[in-house]
Amino acid sequence: MPDDKAEKRKLIGSRLAIARKRAGLSQSQVAMELKLPRPSVSEIESGRRRVAADELAMFADLYSVDMDWLAGRGEENVDVIRDRLQLAARKVAGLKNEDLEKVIDLLTSLGSKEDK
Amino acid sequence: MPDDKAEKRKLIGSRLAIARKRAGLSQSQVAMELKLPRPSVSEIESGRRRVAADELAMFADLYSVDMDWLAGRGEENVDVIRDRLQLAARKVAGLKNEDLEKVIDLLTSLGSKEDK
DNA sequence: GACAGAGTGTAAGATAATCTTACAACACGT
DNA sequence: ACGTGTTGTAAGATTATCTTACACTCTGTC
């Protein structure tokens, strides 16, 4: 099992960061909304700090995602691909997060031709 | 709402206890399996101690249940954005791998043009 | 009834985590 | 350059968990 605890935390943290950016929120806004210290949000997203389960539930509510996705459970292939897309899109200079989301949504819609 | 957090913990704890009993496991067995102190399992199930998100993921694996169910996020919560995300993710899964590589390469090359 | 064993709840001191409060680096717009 | 917003990070104070016990409640057995 390649599942180290630190790796698990980093995965959850990166998922939280992705979901937060997709929601168009800053760490400060999230910290105020969830009544968490802002440094904790930063360190949680980088995997240097644990997230409590009830905190993860609040994150999931705020970002409108489910906890199992945030924790990397289920739909693994799809999620890995989405993460790669996010990383690749992030390398595009000059694009803002809102635009990145539009690009990703456009690209994902391309796959619907072969899909019913 | 003064003890909203405590109520959440108790809900998660009771769900964990229910799932454990359904799986036919004792607290000691779970503690050994997940490499947690046995008193922690007891106090987690009673809501007196927090569960970390990565721990909840291990519980969910061991009990074969969803994290969202353990956290009390029922399947009745059908969110519009969540559906949109899952639909988009499904469409990405329909893409062939070589096409995905081309998309990623295109994105990365766009970024390197005006690279900083 | 008495006993043994498993399962669980709980307490106290040691240990490890997070929180508070700062400051610094970076990007972006004026 | 300047001010603003965002994010990363550090040090001491604070709070949580872990370790190691002990006690209680069930069952089943003698």
Side-chain angles (χ1 to χ4, degrees), chain B residues 9-47:
Chain B
R9 283 201 299 262
K10 286 206 289 188
L11 173 61
I12 295 176
S14 62
R15 288 275 170 99
L16 282 170
I18 291 170
R20 177 178 58 81
K21 286 163 188 165
R22 281 183 187 166
L25 298 172
S26 68
Q27 290 183 353
S28 299
Q29 289 174 304
V30 172
M32 284 187 299
E33 190 69 29
L34 303 186
K35 288 164 183 165
L36 287 175
R38 190 203 47 88
S40 294
V41 178
S42 172
E43 306 195 293
I44 283 170
E45 289 187 356
S46 64

Side-chain angles (χ1 to χ4, degrees), chain A residues 22 50-55 60-61 64-68 71 73 78 81 84 91-93 101 105 107-108 114, chain B residues 50-53 55 61 65 67-68 71 73 79 82 84-86 89 91-94 100-101 103 107 111:
Chain A
R22 286 185 65 90
R50 267 186 158 172
V51 205
D54 49 0
E55 292 170 344
D61 283 336
S64 296
V65 296
D66 53 64
M67 297 177 66
D68 291 283
R73 287 166 46 81
V78 173
I81 291 171
R84 290 179 62 195
K91 292 180 179 176
V92 180
E101 182 174 350
D105 289 338
L107 289 173
T108 55
E114 301 176 325
Chain B
R50 268 184 160 172
V51 206
E55 291 171 344
D61 282 335
V65 294
M67 293 178 68
D68 291 277
R73 294 163 49 84
D79 197 76
R82 199 195 81 153
R84 175 170 157 269
L85 278 175
Q86 290 195 342
K91 290 174 179 175
V92 171
L100 184 64
E101 293 291 344
V103 169
L107 283 173

Side-chain angles (χ1 to χ4, degrees), chain B residues 12 15 40 42 48 55 62-63 69 97 115:
Chain B
I12 295 176
R15 288 275 170 99
S40 294
S42 172
R48 262 173 287 113
E55 291 171 344
L62 185 58
Y63 300 154
W69 179 83
N97 199 45
D115 199 22

